[in-house]
Every structure is written in C-alpha cells, then in structure tokens.
Amino acid sequence: SQQGEEDPQALSIQEGENATMNCSYKTSINNLQWYRQNSGRGLVHLILIRSNEREKHSGRLRVTLDTSKKSSSLLITASRAADTASYFCATDLAGNQFYFGTGTSLTVIP
Amino acid sequence: KAGVTQTPRYLIKTRGQQVTLSCSPISGHRSVSWYQQTPGQGLQFLFEYFSETQRNKGNFPGRFSGRQFSNSRSEMNVSTLELGDSALYLCASSTPGQGIYGYTFGSGTRLTVV
C-alpha cells in the first residue's frame, strides 16, 4: 500500500501542552497535506507543504517535511480542548488523487 | 460561500439493495473526489471526476460507480450492497490552481448496510 502511516495512533495530553504527530510515506511526493477530522464528520484542510519545503507554519501549527526519510511531523503548540480530533496526513501521487494515512487520534484534556 | 453538501447524511440499506449518494461541490469547483472511510481500512480513494469525466479510479469493485453532471454535482452509486460497504462516504471538491488549499470535504454520508 502507498498509504501513509501516522504515529502515534493515539495521543492524550493536557491542555496547554504541545502535541506532535508523525507521518511516514512510501513513495516520492509533490506535496503533503494535513487534515483534521472531528468525530464522524468531514475532514478539514489544515496545511500543505510542498516537497521542496522543509518547514511551514500556520498559527499554532508547525509542519516539517523530510523527503530523504519520507516523513513529516505536525506540531500543535499550546493545545486546547477544541483540538481534540483525528489528524491525517495525505500525500498526492497522481492528479487529484490523495493517499491518506491511518490517522492520529488526539485527546486534549481540559 | 456554501460548502460541500452531501445528501443524505444517514442511510440504512439492506444487503443486496443499491444506493445513490449525492455531492454538491463548492460553487466554481469542477473536481469532485469520493472517499470511503472505515475503521479498518481508513480513508480509501474511490474516484475523481472533473468536467463530467472520471479522471482517476481507486481499487474498488465495479459495484461502485459514479458520475458528474454539467453543474459539477456528483453522484456515486453502489449496487448489490454488502455488509462491508458500511462506511462513511466522503466527497471533496477542489479546483485547478487552488491546490494549495487542498480539498474541501463535505460532512459525509453514513451508510449502514444490514
């Protein structure tokens, strides 16, 4: 499978702490995206990082990409209870087709 | 600006029946992609339509089909339903040149096959 894998599968932290989740993938990519999904609902696009970028920031989000290791990480700083959700990485291979990772379930305890 | 609208939100069908799900993309978006999400398999790509043409297709049996209309609205159909087809079906729209914003997903249709 060319699907990515997130690590850890589940993460539980206290409000205010930072949350880091990782994504590994198998083939060369053009870009990598991170999405958030609240329970049983659609996914929300968070951030996209291109293959020639190494780091990108958006608000409390910081994404890194290491193409030599075929891995990416998503850091959420100063987490809030509202950040509780599942987080997925998605890699593009052909056209508008994306492969989603298995997801990290984040629980932020107030 | 209205988001991606999927109907119905919930659906219960019996094995052997067929089902049609609908997706209305964001106005101006011409690409519609469909994904199946299950606890065991995660998010799996079904197919993508652009300007009424199927551009990409995932690894699903022929029971899964779709189409796109001239107004970019899309439908997907599953025939001869099996218990394993129970899933959250998500549609996402995008438009050329807006790839940096990724997909915009609908809230999904929860299909339960009994």
Side-chain angles (χ1 to χ4, degrees):
Chain A
S1 167
Q2 294 165 325
Q3 199 172 35
E5 292 185 3
E6 275 93 343
D7 170 57
Q9 286 190 325
L11 181 60
S12 184
I13 60 174
Q14 296 289 329
E15 202 165 32
E17 294 182 335
N18 295 342
T20 299
M21 51 206 87
N22 305 294
C23 165
S24 61
Y25 57 92
K26 297 183 179 179
T27 62
S28 297
I29 59 172
N30 294 314
N31 62 65
L32 184 144
Q33 304 178 48
W34 285 89
Y35 287 82
R36 182 187 75 232
Q37 184 180 36
N38 291 91
S39 180
R41 303 200 48 100
L43 282 76
V44 175
H45 181 254
L46 295 176
I47 195 166
L48 177 150
I49 185 166
R50 299 188 191 284
S51 59
N52 61 354
E53 297 176 310
R54 292 296 167 258
E55 187 171 312
K56 203 161 183 180
H57 297 253
S58 177
R60 295 185 294 114
L61 305 180
R62 173 178 165 252
V63 169
T64 61
L65 179 64
D66 187 334
T67 53
S68 66
K69 295 181 180 178
K70 291 186 170 60
S71 67
S72 173
S73 68
L74 171 67
L75 168 68
I76 303 174
T77 60
S79 63
R80 305 166 181 168
D83 294 329
T84 294
S86 292
Y87 292 82
F88 296 86
C89 67
T91 54
D92 75 312
L93 284 182
N96 218 21
Q97 178 178 345
F98 293 92
Y99 290 94
F100 283 82
T102 50
T104 292
S105 176
L106 173 66
T107 301
V108 180
I109 303 166
Chain B
K1 194 174 186 182
V4 177
T5 303
Q6 289 189 249
T7 57
R9 285 295 315 277
Y10 302 93
L11 206 49
I12 300 175
K13 288 287 188 178
T14 304
R15 264 184 310 173
Q17 288 186 314
Q18 75 163 22
V19 67
T20 299
L21 311 181
S22 178
C23 172
S24 293
I26 287 177
S27 178
H29 284 195
R30 294 161 62 190
S31 170
V32 174
S33 299
W34 288 88
Y35 286 82
Q36 180 197 64
Q37 186 177 27
T38 59
Q41 299 297 318
L43 277 148
Q44 292 193 294
F45 175 79
L46 281 156
F47 27 64
E48 184 225 353
Y49 286 88
F50 181 83
S51 292
E52 303 178 65
T53 300
Q54 186 182 89
R55 285 205 300 195
N56 290 299
K57 189 177 191 304
N59 189 25
F60 277 81
R63 299 185 297 108
F64 292 81
S65 63
R67 59 177 175 168
Q68 186 179 35
F69 301 94
S70 58
N71 62 357
S72 293
R73 190 177 71 86
S74 176
E75 290 181 346
M76 68 162 280
N77 185 78
V78 187
S79 62
T80 319
L81 284 166
E82 301 176 359
L83 295 179
D85 297 333
S86 294
L88 179 66
Y89 288 88
L90 293 162
C91 115
S93 75
S94 64
T95 192
Q98 297 296 311
I100 59 172
Y101 301 113
Y103 281 145
T104 301
F105 277 88
S107 295
T109 293
R110 172 75 62 186
L111 172 65
T112 302
V113 182
V114 298

